Amino acid sequence: MSKLVIVGTVAFDAIETPFGKTDKILGGAATYIGLSAANFNVDQAAVSVVGGDFPQEYLDLLTDRNVNIEGIEIVKDGKTFFWSGKYHNDMNSRDTLATELNVLEHFNPVVPENYRDAEIVMLGNLHPLVQQGVLDQMTKKPKLAILDTMNFWMDIALDDLISVIKNVDVITINDEEARQLTGEYSLVVAARKIHEMGPKYVVIKKGEHGALLFHDDYMFYAPALPLEEVFDPTGAGDTFAGGFAGYLASTGDISFENMKNAVIYGSTLASFCVEKFGTERMVTLKKEEVNTRLLEFKKLTQFDIELT
């Protein structure tokens, strides 16, 4: 069984959308990535930090879904990272109401010894120095290192971000972030510039408009499945990343052709994530539901065209 190392936040979120609001619930990039990757046959470990206020039941939820939590540090006298946000009516934009770093402020990741030879490393959205710290602990070069990031790190730690980008194989960012990182409006040109920074593969997420995969002069587009309702978009990008990384780890095939499948799996799992608040939908998700939705994706995207 392939090993997958995930680094990212395990956190509390408080979310408000046009459909309702929550108190503190389970969130964090590593949480969504791990729950998504749990849909595949992989041996995965999460590397993160929480405070003494983090419920044991949330840790049990992760272990029940075969996420190894040895790498989740518990700071007994500290508080867990907390984020609160309010989504606008279009669900594509949001306002951050609160960000409390708490124990994350001094987080020093420690990869469990048994996972330092992992084939796939998924660097969730964290400070670039933390992401690099995980890569530095690997005893051999991973078969594939995947990095997710956001505009916040481009604003405050651009040099560190560019430095770690040089050391990864895949970067996953959204369209706005790709434009900010490169200064290019065209996503094709932006992807080319990101290639020149180091990654062989560039995944640009476009939310409800799907995702683009670039490799050299090759390009692949996967639409997002049209949904009747989007209840809460929080964690959809991380769920996509977890499906992408989990599928690649389970197949052991990191070719461009197989990455197309990984993008479809990531998009499929993200389409479930947005159906309920927080991680609720991912916790109850069944394999049969995933397979049914994959067939819906196939019908949506495959057709024969006759040239005249």
Side-chain angles (χ1 to χ4, degrees), residues 262-283:
V263 168
I264 294 294
Y265 269 93
S267 296
T268 300
L269 289 163
S271 76
F272 286 106
C273 177
V274 303
E275 291 182 341
K276 291 190 176 181
F277 272 121
T279 61
E280 186 179 350
R281 187 67 177 95
M282 300 308 294
V283 169

Side-chain angles (χ1 to χ4, degrees), residues 4-21:
L4 168 65
V5 166
I6 297 163
V7 60
T9 52
V10 173
F12 292 130
D13 290 341
I15 303 159
E16 183 174 351
T17 79
F19 298 99
K21 62 190 299 186

Side-chain angles (χ1 to χ4, degrees), residues 225-239:
L225 190 71
L227 300 171
E228 290 188 17
E229 279 189 343
V230 175
F231 204 80
D232 172 22
T234 310
D238 295 315
T239 301

